[in-house]
Amino acid sequence: MTTHSATLQSGPEAKVVDVVIQDGHALVAIDNPPVNPLSVSVRKGLMEAVRLVNEANCATAAIVCAGRTFVAGGDISEFAGPPPLPHLPDVLDAIEASQTPFIALMHGTVLGGGLELALACAWRIADEKTRFGLPEVTLGLIPGAGGTQRLPRVIGLERAARMAANGKPVNAKTFEEFGGLDLVFNGDQMAALAAFRDTLPARPENTSARAVEDADLTALKAEITKSAKGADAPMIALETTALAAKLSFAEGSKIERQTHLDLRASSQSRALRRLFFASRSVTRPERLKALEPAAISHVAIVGGGLMGAGIAAASLAAGHRVTILERDVESAEAGRSRVEEIIAKDLASGRITEQKAEARRAAFAAGADYAAASDADIAIEAVFEDPEVKRAVFKQLSDVMSETALIATNTSYLDPNLISEGMPGPGRFLGLHFFSPANIMKLVEVVGTSVTSDQTMATAFAFARGLGKIPVETGVCDGFIGNRILSAYRRQADYMVADGASPYDVDKAMRSLGMPMGPYELQDRTGLQISWANRKRQLAAGTWPGRYVDIADKLCEMGRQGRGSAAKKGWYDHTDGTGKPDPEVLAMVASWRAEHGTTEQSFTTDEIVVRIMAAIVNEANLILEEGIATSDTAVDIVWTEGYGFPKHLGGPMFWAEETGMDRMREAFEAIAAQSPGSWKAAGVFKA
C-alpha cells in the first residue's frame, strides 16, 4: 500500500487530500470540514491526485469524503474576489480526461461544485440517503464549473434545467432513475466500492463528449418565471442549461463560466451571499459560544391552537418528547388533532415515512394536568396575547417544573419581564417568538429578560437550531425586531390609504417589490384582531406614536377580521375563497376620508414602495440605535425569514443601501411631512 499527501502543508488553513494506492486502485480522500467545500487547497490537492494516480497507472481512483457529507459545494468565502488557481473547471477537466478513470463515492449531500465534481467522474455510486442538487441559484449564481453543461448530458435537458433553475435537491433513488448514478447502496461504503470495482463496467464515454437531445422548455420557463419572483439567477440558469443542446461542451462551458463570474458581482448575489453568512453568524452569538447548552428531551407546550400545534410538530420532528397542555380535556384533544393533522400531511406528502410518523405519535401527549410538565426541560406558552393570562400560565408551570427548566413565552409583542416578574428562578425565563405556521417558518426571535442567564440563552439557541430554525436575538421592546418594524410598515400603509391610496394598490405595489403579499393581504391571512388588540393596548397606555388612523379598527367592528373570521371578510372578500377586492371597503374608506376632511392625494407605485420602505428602514435604524437588534444583518434575517422580504434583495437594510440613502432620506422627509409628529427620525435620517 502506498500513501501520498496530495497537498503541501503551506499554512494553518491548508487541507490535505490523501491518496492511498492499494492493489492497483487509488482512494482519493478529501477531509475539509465541516462540509468538504472545494476551497483552493482541495482543488490543488485534487489536481495533484490526478498526477499521482496516473503516474502509478492505477486501474481506478475513487474520490471519497470524510465526515458527514461528500463535497457540499464550493468555498463561498472565495466568491468575493478573483478565483484563485487552480480554477475548478480545469480541475474537473483533468479528472474527466485522466488516464485513470475516477469513481465518485458519495454520501450526505452532493451539491453545487460537489455535483459538478461527481459529473466529471467516469462512474458515480452513492449511499441511498444521499441528496443531489445545483443550489447556486439560492446564492444568485449559476454553476460555474460545467454543471449546466454536464448534467443534461447525463440526465437529459428538461430534468437538468429544472434542477439548475429551482436549486432543489433530489434523493438518490430519483437521481438514479434520472440516469445520474451507476449504483445506489445501503451499508458500508468501502464494501460497496469494492463490490463495484469487482464487476466494473466498461469505461463510459466522457460526459463532456455526449450529445444532448433538445427539449421544449416553454412550460418550465413559465413555472420558473412565476416562482423566481424577481430573482434573476433561476431563469439565467435555465437558459444557460438549454445551451447544452445547441453548443459544444467547450462553447457552453465558456459561456457558463463567464456568466457565473459576472453574477458574483451582481447585487442579487451579493445580497444572497450576505444572508447566507448572516444566517450562520446570528444563530450563534459570540458570547454564548463557550457555554454548553443543557440537553432538551421533553418539551411542554401550553396552548394547542395553530401556533402551539405548530411548535409541537416542529419539536416532534426534531426528536423531542412533547406534551401539549390545555385548559380542559376537550381543548387538549382539539390540540392533539391539530398536531396529528400536521403529521398526517407530512406523511401523505412523502416528507416522512410511516415509521417516522408513528414515532412522532408515540412521543406525543396532550392533556389538561400541568403535572405532566413536571419533568419537562423546557415549556413554551402559546396562549392568548393577554399578560395576565400568560402570567397565570407561568405561575402554574413554575409550581410543577424544576427551577433549572426553561420557561418561555411565545408572545409577539408583550414584555417577557412583566410576564415572568416575581417567578422563582428568574434567570430561566425568556421569550421564544415563533412565526406561524411554526412547523414551517424558520425564524425564532429569542428574547432575554433583564435577568435571563447566558446559560438559558445558550440552551434556547441550541434548542431552536435543533428544530431547524434560525434564532435571532432581540432586546425587549413593543413587538421586538420584526413586529415593531411591521407596525411601522402598517402605519405608513394606513397613512397613504387615509390620504388617497387604495389598499389594493398598496398591496399591488408591495408585491411588485417582490413581497409575497401586501400589508392588507397579510392582515387578512393572519387575522386583524391581534393587531387591533395591540393598537388598543398602546392607545390606552399612551404609547401610540403620533397620527392614529382607525380604518382597520372599523373593519374589525364590522366583523371583518380576516379570511378566517366568521364573516370570511377583512380588507378583501373571501366568501368564495378567492380574496376579491371589496367595494364595501372602498366605500367605507371614502366615507372615513370625508369624515376626517382628508385631502386626497395620488401615489405612484414607486412612491408607495419607497415611502413604505423609508418607514421600515427608519424603524430598523432606531432599533439598532436602541440596541434591540445586534446588527443590520440581524434585521435583514428577521425580515427575509419571518416576513417574506425578497431574499434576492437582501433585506430592508441591504435594499436601502443599494437604493441609495439620499433617496431614502428624501422619502422619509415626505412621510414625515405627510403625517406630522408621527415619526421619530433615526440618526441616518436626521438633517
Side-chain angles (χ1 to χ4, degrees), residues 198 471 548 588 663:
D198 287 344
Y548 189 81
M588 186 272 284
R663 189 176 181 209

Side-chain angles (χ1 to χ4, degrees), residues 615-668:
I616 287 174
V617 173
N618 179 69
E619 200 68 29
N621 275 286
L622 289 173
I623 284 171
L624 288 168
E625 290 172 8
E626 296 166 19
I628 302 301
T630 57
S631 66
D632 57 354
T633 52
V635 171
D636 285 343
I637 287 291
V638 167
W639 261 70
T640 53
E641 294 294 344
Y643 297 86
F645 194 91
K647 290 186 178 181
H648 64 271
L649 298 183
M653 304 300 277
F654 184 88
W655 183 90
E657 290 292 337
E658 292 293 298
T659 300
M661 290 308 295
D662 287 343
R663 189 176 181 209
M664 299 306 297
R665 291 186 189 95
E666 181 182 343
F668 182 76

